[in-house]
Amino acid sequence: MIKITNLTKAFSNQKVLDGLDVAIKKGEVLALVGASGAGKSTFLRSLNYLEQADYGSIAIDDFKVDFQKISREEVLELRRKLAMVFQQFNLFERRTALENVKEGLKVVKKLPDTEATKIAKEELAKVGLSDRENHYPRHLSGGQKQRVALARALAMKPDVLLLDEPTSALDPELVGEVEKSIADAAKAGQTMILVSHDMNFVYQVADKVLFLDKGRILEAGTPEEIFKHPKEARTKEFFANYTKTYI
Ligand SMILES: Nc1ncnc2c1ncn2[C@@H]1O[C@H](COP(=O)(O)OP(=O)(O)OP(=O)(O)O)[C@@H](O)[C@H]1O
Ligand SMILES: [Mg+2]
């Protein structure tokens, strides 16, 4: 069980996260949707301390930290438990796909080379890239690079995978292969928090959807409830733009 309590963050005078309480069960895919500027990225970034929340805490099983007084050791532990995949792939350009996936296993998990190689190869195979192990990022397509980034995150066996618009920088024809890999990981039981503007994908993959508006959860429910029977006027308006495409 992952429990986020009272997550609060302001930039200057603007409140971006307004005391959010969120619980996620093991194996669940939680999707965060909402308009641009609603606070979705700030939420994810605050969870693994790329941003420092003003208040709030996260509990991952027995590991509990208060973001206001988090220690350096706790930050490292938190980042071992949460892996993030960004919109941009953030791969090491001078390392091959395999070396990119091995990096965290060796540096963070301190695994011996043979074991890191074995795990990295398995994860690359899961995202369909066994034949690209020795390619450098510049010789990979955007979709392949993002699958390497996904393999790298999954190789760390994170308690929660954080995905911030993982397909929105891709050419449309490459979106499907990345979404398939994410859906495969979800089916295999990986707990995730997904931020996406791709409502078809959210509808397919999410167990629960939170609609965020000005740093608050305006509505929460299953994809069915939120997409097809939104209650709040703001949510109705937001989804009115999407209903045509998937219902
Ligand atoms: N480092 C920062 N300094 C100042 N303001 C920021 C910073 N990061 C985000 N903001 C502001 O916080 C608000 C929420 O931003 P955030 O990036 O979390 O939104 P988002 O929901 O991810 O939007 P999008 O869908 O466009 O990615 C915005 O008004 C943004 O301008
Ligand atoms: Mg964002």
Side-chain angles (χ1 to χ4, degrees):
M1 184 79 166
I2 294 96
K3 211 165 167 218
I4 298 150
T5 308
N6 192 31
L7 198 65
T8 307
K9 171 82 182 165
F11 288 113
S12 348
N13 291 330
Q14 185 200 0
K15 207 164 231 189
V16 174
L17 302 177
D18 198 356
L20 294 175
D21 295 325
V22 176
I24 310 150
K25 291 191 201 111
K26 282 267 159 65
E28 203 171 52
V29 177
L30 179 74
L32 226 55
V33 303
S36 181
K40 305 180 299 292
S41 295
T42 306
F43 178 81
L44 290 189
R45 292 169 59 79
S46 298
L47 292 186
N48 75 345
Y49 206 67
L50 291 171
E51 299 284 355
Q52 183 177 20
D54 301 326
Y55 307 100
S57 62
I58 182 168
I60 303 168
D61 301 326
D62 298 336
F63 175 76
K64 186 166 190 237
V65 288
D66 181 335
F67 287 113
Q68 245 185 323
K69 45 188 179 203
I70 188 168
S71 70
R72 190 164 158 69
E73 290 70 37
E74 285 173 331
V75 171
L76 295 176
E77 181 69 17
L78 186 65
R79 289 186 184 157
R80 277 195 284 272
K81 290 178 180 292
L82 308 175
M84 188 141 167
V85 172
F86 301 88
Q87 187 174 344
Q88 294 299 337
F89 326 112
N90 294 330
L91 298 178
F92 296 112
E93 288 297 325
R94 292 173 177 280
R95 305 218 171 118
T96 63
L98 187 68
E99 287 163 353
N100 264 283
V101 181
K102 277 168 67 175
E103 182 73 14
L105 296 168
K106 294 187 75 173
V107 175
V108 179
K109 292 217 164 168
K110 316 264 190 246
L111 296 183
D113 192 72
T114 45
E115 200 175 334
T117 303
K118 181 173 172 282
I119 294 170
K121 282 178 175 243
E122 283 167 8
E123 293 300 332
L124 282 172
K126 283 187 204 162
V127 298
L129 289 176
S130 289
D131 58 345
R132 294 290 185 277
E133 283 175 3
N134 299 317
H135 283 54
Y136 288 89
R138 66 180 176 280
H139 295 141
L140 296 172
S141 71
Q144 291 169 340
K145 281 192 271 197
Q146 194 61 313
R147 284 186 282 148
V148 174
L150 186 66
R152 182 176 59 177
L154 292 171
M156 301 300 286
K157 303 275 181 286
D159 291 72
V160 189
L161 179 69
L162 308 176
L163 300 154
D164 194 358
E165 308 208 27
T167 61
S168 58
L170 299 175
D171 290 338
E173 72 271 22
L174 302 177
V175 167
E177 63 189 61
V178 175
E179 289 186 341
K180 181 182 180 302
S181 293
I182 295 169
D184 286 347
K187 268 186 225 131
Q190 175 65 53
T191 312
M192 300 184 190
I193 305 180
L194 167 72
V195 169
S196 179
H197 285 289
D198 184 338
M199 296 303 147
N200 283 303
F201 184 52
V202 167
Y203 189 72
Q204 278 170 36
V205 81
D207 297 301
K208 196 173 162 195
V209 181
L210 301 183
F211 182 79
L212 211 63
D213 185 46
K214 299 193 186 79
R216 290 186 194 178
I217 298 165
L218 198 62
E219 207 165 331
T222 63
E224 192 79 8
E225 288 164 351
I226 292 275
F227 284 54
K228 295 191 179 171
H229 311 286
K231 293 192 188 80
E232 301 289 333
R234 184 71 195 84
T235 326
K236 280 181 189 160
E237 184 195 354
F238 182 85
F239 287 116
N241 298 324
Y242 292 102
T243 44
K244 290 175 229 93
T245 57
Y246 66 89
I247 291 182

